[in-house]
Amino acid sequence: DDDDDDDATAAHLTCEEWCEKRGIVPGPKMGGRFRGWVAQDLVESLGLAASAAEAWDGNGGGSFAKAGKAGKGENAKEFARKMIKKNPNCYFYRHNAPGQDAWHGDWAEDEIERFVEVAKEHGCGDKWGLFASYIPHRVGYQCSAAYRHVIIPRGLLLDDQFVMSRSGEAIYVGKRGSKGNA
């Protein structure tokens, strides 16, 4: 059949093409950027700054290139733990809120629904630590993985920075037309 021939010749599909071929009503398109800050309840309960600039400047400032990475021999998770006040994105990428249980494994449907709600309100595609502050019990790298392995393949959100393989894998290609990317 013609659809199979199309699949065989197209190595990758756009998210829209993927949804259309599978009869999925696609969700909204994301712009590749998270436009929020730490969830307000955590800003208040943890005494965090009201903005990224306030957090960075109020906690020593400096060059991000030097201050944004673990030092030689320092564990990335331990470094991130120290960054809760200065760079909450770094902290929440690897850590839950203090005192909050960490959940592992597959995501429940209510977590997936929450993910989509947060993305619709604040966007997504970067700053996964900040994004995760809105998803109880999950950290930034889990949110990033859920985006690639669950959210995009199910068509819940669309993202032009990804294409879909014929087998259903979301593949990051970066911004279309930017130097060095597909």
Side-chain angles (χ1 to χ4, degrees), residues 31 83 86 90 103-104 117 126 174:
M83 297 300 286
K86 184 172 187 172
C90 181
W103 291 357
H104 304 284
E117 288 172 17
D126 67 351

Side-chain angles (χ1 to χ4, degrees), residues 6-53:
D6 290 345
D7 275 347
T9 57
H12 299 111
L13 302 171
T14 67
C15 292
E16 289 91 342
E17 291 167 338
W18 170 258
C19 290
E20 185 178 333
K21 282 194 169 285
R22 277 145 191 85
I24 297 170
V25 176
K29 188 176 284 193
M30 297 292 103
R33 296 277 176 253
F34 179 76
R35 298 175 308 276
W37 180 235
V38 177
Q40 189 60 38
D41 63 321
L42 293 176
V43 167
E44 293 168 8
S45 67
L46 300 174
L48 301 179
S51 71

Side-chain angles (χ1 to χ4, degrees), residues 110-150:
D110 64 323
E111 290 179 288
I112 292 167
E113 290 169 13
R114 178 69 181 143
F115 185 113
V116 172
E117 288 172 17
V118 172
K120 285 178 179 178
E121 183 176 348
H122 298 288
C124 70
D126 67 351
K127 300 183 187 112
W128 288 110
L130 298 179
F131 186 94
S133 73
Y134 291 81
I135 313 291
H137 309 285
R138 298 294 185 167
V139 297
Y141 68 83
Q142 291 176 306
C143 292
S144 175
Y147 190 55
R148 290 187 320 275
H149 299 295
V150 178

